[in-house]
């Protein structure tokens, strides 16, 4: 048992470190380091522009999307090299969160299902951040029940004509392309009538409306499709095989390891170390210490679980669904941590204005953003189902609509 | 990076698992649980023959000289099997104290006897209520003679020798405490068994009356040695707790697949699935924290004190959580003497107390994290 790099890993790390040291936008490092869930923005710069510039610089030097093949804009690196890169990139890696949907889900889906000429055309600018992609899956009627979607695609000559609505689409307002899951056959059970496409977001008939979130920010959108035409060659996978295609996307979504999930704990510990309560330093308070200790072992448990997964990668093994626990544990933890940090502030916790609030309002921002982390990419409940079914081997949920044609499935909860 | 056990160590774990599955069935554990024997002597001698008792004891003292990572994988299997033997008191506490502070003569006398199964050892630290703390040590030592009462002492009724924490000063500082080695069979002690939460691992009261003892380590160094012993034992116990958590989870999972209610396997109900998923999560976090503790222990890293506290808290909570909810999955059957669930429930809750309460380890963790941050 050791934490040492192999000689090749050490050499790769040294090369990556040297390049990052010479090229990263250091003027933003402090701000990025301090930003946490709920607040990754730059005071005097547009974060999307900064992120695109950094991504392009990485791509030009061969450091973008490391594990992708070279011909699609990557480096052909091993999974462990990708992890080493993320460790070395540190806070600058937060900039690539702007591209996480494209790099983490759309890219791998394109790689698995798009035509070769499309891969060569679309993937390099996606890797370099010049073009941003979004994922058009969720709908008002289908959140966790993704396959319950209603957006229609109908064949018309060599094109498909799309009508319907998507929602919770992260980044659609600055995306150039998207992958789109549609219903092509409502007469068969819901999982069997789906088909996947990719499309140009500037196509006529696409309308993006930002949604204002509970936090006040607008990271995601509603997207409306009115007679949008997509050529058949932009279909991903077979007609009716969209569910399998989307599983590739969703598996990739949940496989992101090593990047380190945000728990809010380092921020809370630092805060409590200097906070004075009415009857003395917070860190001397028995109740505070107990809370901190309980979160400390969750945070370290996640850190070392991720290291075990990295070790498996290093040996050429593929980590399995057990890595779902990162999001599950961190999601509710960050919410509880933020709630507790504000409780320690008592009435002052109301104030969220960064110029006025404790720690520039980081915990307030965290609190208001946190409910989203427990939902996005699979709710806590879906994550628990994944662990129960795929890790522990328990039976799948009973699905009463399983064999029912989609257009016979009841759609309202009452009458 | 290889943040995992080696293939050889995993093989040793499989070997221990196979051995314990055969020699330590729930039926065998019940012999001790039902009070028909104070511990499973046959199993104990078998463990000695397999080389498991002395796995981390150097060869020159009769052990296998393998190391602490090897001891960790064996500890995990001891926990999984709920073994009714004085393993933790002898191997984690007494042997480690000797390894840290024993003189050559003391090591030569006791360590080979531990490795061969001839000697059972323990640590006599507690005196009633209260967490490990110099101020809670009231038993006195003067001119190598001990007077006072220790309780509870793990496996005290069957132990051949004890490492005893005694007060040798009155300055109010850690330096008031010294450690002594007592041959419990040589007289000067009165031993009483105590009925306790987990009958598969006994607890006793030991009364020391003008009892002759020899120093273990330098005078006044007792508290510093004890802290190291407790840290090491915390990591090793964490592996037992991880093994126990895994077994409790497995029992719950198997029952959820077997038992039919309302026309379905109960494991198909989301409430049950989610309870089992949460058990898996806590067991996994505990395992990962324990691996870090194992790394720190085996390399004697400066991170050991913090890693040990984290492993202790995480594994204690996980075992309690898994053992408790295993009974819940089993429903009414889980609460019967006939089912094995309560054996793990007892062990989980007894283990939570043996090295100091959760509050104690929470305090240790925060103090150690602050120290690191200040450094």
């Amino acid at each position: 048992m050791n934490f040492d790099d192999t000689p090749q890993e050490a050499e790769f790390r040294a090369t990556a470190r040297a390049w990052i040291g010479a090229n990263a936008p250091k003027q933003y490092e402090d701000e990025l380091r301090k930003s946490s869930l709920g607040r990754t923005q730059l005071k005097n710069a547009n974060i999307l522009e900064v992120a695109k510039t950094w991504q392009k610089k990485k791509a030009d030097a061969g450091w973008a999307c490391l594990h992708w093949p070279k011909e699609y804009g990557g480096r052909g690196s091993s999974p462990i090299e990708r992890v080493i890169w993320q460790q070395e990139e540190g806070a600058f890696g937060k900039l690539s969160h702007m591209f996480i949907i494209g790099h983490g889900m759309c890219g791998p889906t394109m790689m698995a299902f798009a035509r070769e000429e499309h891969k060569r055309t679309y993937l390099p600018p996606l890797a370099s951040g010049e073009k941003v992609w979004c994922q058009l899956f969720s709908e008002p009627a289908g959140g966790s029940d993704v396959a319950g979607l209603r957006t229609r695609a109908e064949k018309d000559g060599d094109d498909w004509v799309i009508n319907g609505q998507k929602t919770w689409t992260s980044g659609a307002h600055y995306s150039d392309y998207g992958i789109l899951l549609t219903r092509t056959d409502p007469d068969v059970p819901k999982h069997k009538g789906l088909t996947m496409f990719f499309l140009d977001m500037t196509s006529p008939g696409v309308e993006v409306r930002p949604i204002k979130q509970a936090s006040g920010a607008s990271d995601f959108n509603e997207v409306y499709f009115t007679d949008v035409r997509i050529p058949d060659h932009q279909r991903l996978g077979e007609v009716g095989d969209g569910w399998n295609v989307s599983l590739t996307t969703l598996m990739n979504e949940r496989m992101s390891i090593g990047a380190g999930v945000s728990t809010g704990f380092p921020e809370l510990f630092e805060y409590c170390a200097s906070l004075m309560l009415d009857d003395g330093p917070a860190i001397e308070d028995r109740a505070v210490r107990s809370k901190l200790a309980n979160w400390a072992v969750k945070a370290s448990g996640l850190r070392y679980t991720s290291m075990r997964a990295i070790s498996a990668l290093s040996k050429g093994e593929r980590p399995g669904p057990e890595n779902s626990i990162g999001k599950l544990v961190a999601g509710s933890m960050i919410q509880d941590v933020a709630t507790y940090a504000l409780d320690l502030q008592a009435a002052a916790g109301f104030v969220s204005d960064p110029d006025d609030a404790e720690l520039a309002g980081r915990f307030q921002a965290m609190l208001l953003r946190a409910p989203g982390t427990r939902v996005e990419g699979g709710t806590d409940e879906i994550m628990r189902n994944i662990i129960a079914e795929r890790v522990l081997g328990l039976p799948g949920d009973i699905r009463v609509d399983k064999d029912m044609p989609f257009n016979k499935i009841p759609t309202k909860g009452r009458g | 990076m290889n943040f995992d056990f080696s293939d050889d160590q995993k093989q040793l774990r499989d070997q221990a698992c196979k051995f314990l599955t055969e020699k330590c069935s729930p039926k065998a554990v019940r012999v001790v649980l039902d009070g028909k024997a104070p511990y499973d002597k046959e199993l104990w001698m078998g463990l000695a023959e397999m080389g498991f008792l002395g796995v981390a004891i150097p060869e020159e003292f009769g052990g296998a000289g393998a190391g602490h990572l090897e001891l960790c994988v064996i500890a995990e299997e001891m926990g999984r099997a709920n073994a009714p033997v004085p393993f933790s008191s002898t191997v984690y506490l007494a042997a480690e104290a000797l390894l840290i502070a024993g003189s050559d003569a003391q090591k030569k006398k006791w360590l080979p006897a531990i490795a061969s199964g001839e000697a059972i050892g323990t640590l006599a630290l507690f005196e009633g209520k209260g967490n490990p703390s110099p101020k809670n040590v009231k038993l006195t030592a003067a001119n190598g003679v001990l007077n006072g009462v220790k309780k509870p002492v793990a496996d005290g009724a069957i132990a051949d020798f004890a490492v005893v924490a005694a007060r040798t000063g009155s300055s109010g500082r850690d330096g008031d405490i010294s450690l002594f080695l007592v041959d419990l069979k040589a007289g000067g002690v009165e031993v009483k068994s105590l009925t306790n939460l987990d009958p598969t691992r006994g607890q006793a009261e030991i009364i020391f009356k003008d009892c002759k003892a020899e120093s273990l380590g330098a005078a006044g160094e007792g508290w510093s040695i004890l802290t190291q012993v407790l840290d090491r034992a915390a990591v090793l116990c964490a592996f037992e707790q991880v093994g126990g958590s895994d077994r409790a989870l497995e029992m719950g999972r198997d029952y959820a697949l077997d038992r039919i209610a309302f026309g379905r396997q109960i494991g198909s109900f989301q409430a049950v699935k989610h309870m089992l998923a949460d058990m898996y999560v806590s067991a996994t976090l505990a395992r990962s924290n324990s691996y870090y503790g194992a790394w720190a222990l085996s390399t004697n890293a400066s991170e050991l004190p913090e890693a040990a506290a984290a492993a202790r808290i995480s594994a204690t909570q996980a075992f309690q959580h898994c053992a408790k909810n295993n009974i819940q999955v089993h429903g009414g059957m889980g609460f019967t003497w006939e089912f094995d669930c309560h054996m793990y429930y007892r062990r989980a809750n007894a283990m939570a107390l043996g090295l100091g309460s959760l509050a104690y380890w929470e305090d240790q963790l925060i103090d150690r994290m602050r120290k690191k941050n200040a450094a």
Side-chain angles (χ1 to χ4, degrees):
Chain A
M1 198 177 273
N2 64 65
F3 292 100
D4 308 331
D5 288 333
T6 64
Q8 296 95 312
E9 288 166 3
E11 194 187 322
F12 179 84
R13 189 185 295 280
T15 314
R17 182 177 296 176
W19 191 83
I20 291 165
N23 292 284
K26 291 198 199 61
Q27 66 272 34
Y28 303 115
E29 187 171 12
D30 199 41
E31 254 181 301
L32 287 169
R33 198 178 299 286
K34 281 187 182 153
S35 75
S36 52
L37 182 73
R39 174 161 302 156
T40 302
Q41 50 197 18
L42 304 173
K43 228 172 187 165
N44 298 311
N46 178 332
I47 192 164
L48 181 62
E49 292 311 314
V50 174
K52 282 190 164 193
T53 306
W54 173 228
Q55 192 64 28
K56 181 72 170 64
K57 210 168 181 180
K58 289 196 285 185
D60 289 346
W63 294 107
C65 296
L66 275 83
H67 59 301
W68 289 14
K70 282 184 187 160
E71 60 269 33
Y72 306 143
R75 190 186 180 89
S77 288
S78 68
I80 191 72
E81 285 175 342
R82 178 186 173 206
V83 171
I84 292 171
W85 167 268
Q86 285 171 340
Q87 289 170 343
E88 293 300 322
E89 194 182 15
F92 300 111
K94 288 186 185 174
L95 290 170
S96 31
H97 288 183
M98 308 299 295
F99 311 117
I100 200 163
I101 307 267
H103 291 164
M105 300 160 224
C106 304
T109 307
M110 287 289 284
M111 249 175 272
F113 295 100
R115 296 176 176 202
E116 188 58 34
E117 76 257 31
H118 285 339
K119 292 190 215 179
R120 289 177 187 269
T121 306
Y122 292 98
L123 288 173
L126 165 55
S128 67
E130 289 160 272
K131 297 293 179 190
V132 179
W133 286 58
C134 62
Q135 172 196 309
L136 299 143
F137 282 17
S138 291
E139 296 193 5
S144 292
D145 183 11
V146 177
L149 61 88
R150 318 185 77 80
T151 293
R152 289 295 312 269
E154 283 161 308
K155 194 79 193 286
D156 181 25
D158 285 340
D159 287 348
W160 292 82
V161 178
I162 318 292
N163 280 286
Q165 183 202 346
K166 295 288 173 180
T167 191
W168 325 127
T169 313
S170 296
H173 53 304
Y174 54 81
S175 287
D176 303 286
Y177 297 95
I179 57 173
L180 172 70
L181 192 57
T182 63
R183 182 163 309 279
T184 40
D185 186 353
D187 297 320
V188 294
K190 64 181 181 180
H191 289 94
K192 296 183 178 149
L194 304 176
T195 304
M196 184 83 86
F197 300 93
F198 74 90
L199 87 158
D200 185 336
M201 291 294 283
T202 61
S203 307
V206 177
E207 190 199 343
V208 178
R209 295 184 200 163
I211 299 173
K212 191 169 180 179
Q213 299 154 209
S215 61
S218 295
D219 298 329
F220 48 72
N221 307 270
E222 294 177 297
V223 182
Y224 292 86
F225 298 90
T226 312
D227 295 330
V228 175
R229 299 189 80 85
I230 301 180
D232 186 61
H233 59 79
Q234 291 185 195
R235 176 162 45 79
L236 297 171
E238 299 303 315
V239 174
D241 199 36
W243 182 246
N244 283 326
V245 178
S246 73
L247 285 182
T248 304
T249 315
L250 295 172
M251 283 300 276
N252 276 295
E253 181 169 9
R254 288 161 191 161
M255 284 293 283
S256 73
I257 66 156
V261 279
S262 200
T263 61
F265 178 74
E267 290 91 342
L268 181 69
F269 189 79
E270 196 188 323
Y271 183 56
C272 289
S274 59
L275 179 68
M276 285 300 287
L277 299 176
D278 289 347
D279 47 1
I283 196 81
E284 305 287 350
D285 184 277
R286 181 83 267 285
V288 173
R289 291 163 79 88
S290 180
K291 290 268 190 191
L292 286 177
N294 282 289
W295 282 318
V297 304
K298 278 192 181 177
S300 61
L302 287 183
R303 189 161 61 243
Y304 303 129
T305 299
S306 147
M307 283 190 185
R308 287 170 55 205
I310 292 168
S311 290
L313 276 178
S314 175
K315 282 185 258 182
E317 295 163 22
R318 192 178 158 81
E322 58 271 19
N323 290 297
S324 298
I325 78 166
K327 196 186 103 64
L328 176 61
V329 175
S332 55
M333 181 167 154
I334 200 164
Q335 195 167 24
D336 294 343
V337 160
T339 305
Y340 189 64
L342 297 193
D343 188 63
L344 289 171
Q345 296 172 19
F350 284 129
V351 182
S352 59
D353 181 342
D355 292 330
D356 206 1
E358 290 277 284
L359 260 72
R362 273 156 85 191
F363 290 115
Q364 285 82 356
M366 226 185 251
L367 178 83
L368 294 175
R369 178 64 183 76
T373 61
R374 297 183 57 198
V375 173
E376 62 203 359
T379 60
D380 284 1
E381 290 67 31
I382 293 289
M383 290 304 171
R384 286 192 174 93
N385 275 3
I386 288 173
I387 291 170
E389 292 168 23
R390 295 201 210 143
V391 183
L392 300 178
L394 292 164
D397 272 16
I398 288 174
R399 297 162 200 272
V400 293
D401 59 1
K402 193 169 171 263
D403 298 316
M404 202 181 279
F406 178 74
N407 51 17
K408 299 280 187 289
I409 297 172
T411 55
K412 293 270 191 195
R414 299 172 195 205
Chain B
M1 183 195 313
N2 178 28
F3 191 51
D4 194 3
F5 289 96
S6 69
D7 289 343
D8 283 351
Q9 287 153 356
K10 287 180 185 170
Q11 213 170 9
L12 177 66
R13 175 164 59 200
D14 293 346
Q15 199 189 354
C17 182
K18 191 164 166 261
F19 176 79
L20 286 160
T21 307
E22 208 173 294
K23 306 281 182 192
C24 184
S25 65
K27 206 174 148 197
V29 178
R30 281 174 180 276
V31 174
V32 179
L33 177 72
D34 292 333
K36 294 184 186 114
Y39 71 106
D40 187 338
K41 193 161 186 184
E42 200 184 315
L43 175 63
W44 187 245
M45 294 318 289
L47 291 168
E49 262 171 55
M50 295 295 287
F52 295 160
L53 298 182
V55 74
I57 292 174
E59 282 174 84
E60 57 173 317
F61 300 118
H68 283 95
L69 289 176
E70 284 71 13
L71 183 51
C72 287
V73 299
I74 292 169
E76 183 179 336
E77 296 310 317
M78 299 297 287
R80 188 185 312 279
N82 205 34
V85 286
F87 196 75
S88 48
S89 48
T90 304
V91 178
Y92 313 157
L93 294 167
E96 291 299 323
L98 282 163
L99 284 169
I100 293 170
S103 68
D104 208 50
Q106 287 168 334
K107 288 182 188 168
K108 274 192 180 129
K109 178 172 180 192
W110 292 111
L111 291 176
I114 289 175
S116 67
E118 288 157 54
I120 291 169
T122 188
L123 172 71
L125 168 61
F126 298 109
E127 299 180 24
K129 278 186 291 189
N131 272 314
S133 157
K135 73 174 168 44
N136 288 335
V137 176
K138 307 269 199 270
L139 179 141
T140 58
N143 304 319
V145 174
L146 308 184
N147 276 291
V149 181
K150 292 288 183 184
K151 84 168 191 183
V153 180
D155 301 306
I158 53 171
D160 298 288
F161 73 99
V163 174
V164 184
R167 173 165 298 278
T168 46
S170 54
S171 68
R173 298 202 183 88
D174 290 2
D176 290 346
I177 307 302
S178 305
L179 292 186
F180 292 86
L181 207 51
V182 175
D183 186 339
L184 295 170
K185 305 295 176 201
V189 295
E190 194 184 310
V191 180
K192 278 192 271 184
S193 281
L194 303 170
T195 302
N196 93 94
L197 282 177
D198 177 16
T200 62
R201 284 200 175 161
Q203 297 287 342
E205 176 181 70
I206 305 183
I207 302 167
F208 296 83
K209 267 189 208 157
D210 297 326
C211 172
K212 282 197 182 141
E214 54 182 276
S215 292
L216 179 70
E221 292 290 314
W223 200 255
S224 132
I225 300 164
L226 266 177
T227 308
Q228 296 172 58
V229 172
L230 290 178
D231 284 349
R232 291 188 185 198
V235 174
L236 296 164
C237 282
F239 274 89
E240 280 205 12
Q241 291 165 311
V242 164
S245 307
D246 258 18
R247 180 65 195 129
L249 168 60
E250 201 176 272
M251 287 163 78
R253 193 268 317 266
D254 291 351
Y255 190 76
L257 287 170
D258 263 2
R259 162 85 174 141
I260 307 280
F262 305 102
R264 291 157 62 175
Q265 289 164 296
I266 61 166
S268 68
F269 291 105
Q270 217 173 49
V272 176
K273 284 164 76 168
H274 288 191
M275 186 156 64
L276 287 160
D278 284 340
M279 288 158 72
Y280 173 80
V281 168
S282 61
T284 301
L285 296 179
R287 178 177 291 280
S288 301
N289 278 312
S290 299
Y291 277 29
Y292 187 62
W295 166 80
L297 174 59
S298 67
T299 56
N300 206 14
S302 59
E303 288 89 343
L304 176 59
E306 186 187 332
R312 172 74 186 163
I313 296 167
S314 189
T316 298
Q317 291 177 335
F319 195 11
Q320 287 180 315
H321 176 79
C322 291
K324 172 181 86 171
N325 283 336
N326 178 35
I327 297 182
Q328 186 67 14
V329 171
H330 278 74
M333 298 311 290
F335 188 58
T336 62
W337 190 267
E338 181 194 346
F339 271 62
D340 296 335
C341 305
H342 67 106
M343 300 201 289
Y344 287 86
Y345 184 62
R346 290 167 183 283
R347 179 66 66 82
N349 287 292
M351 282 197 82
L353 308 170
L355 304 174
S357 70
L358 265 181
Y360 168 78
W361 287 100
E362 287 168 1
D363 270 340
Q364 296 290 317
L365 178 62
I366 298 303
D367 283 341
R368 291 162 180 191
M369 288 177 72
R370 280 176 83 189
K371 218 175 191 175
K372 187 186 73 182
N373 277 28

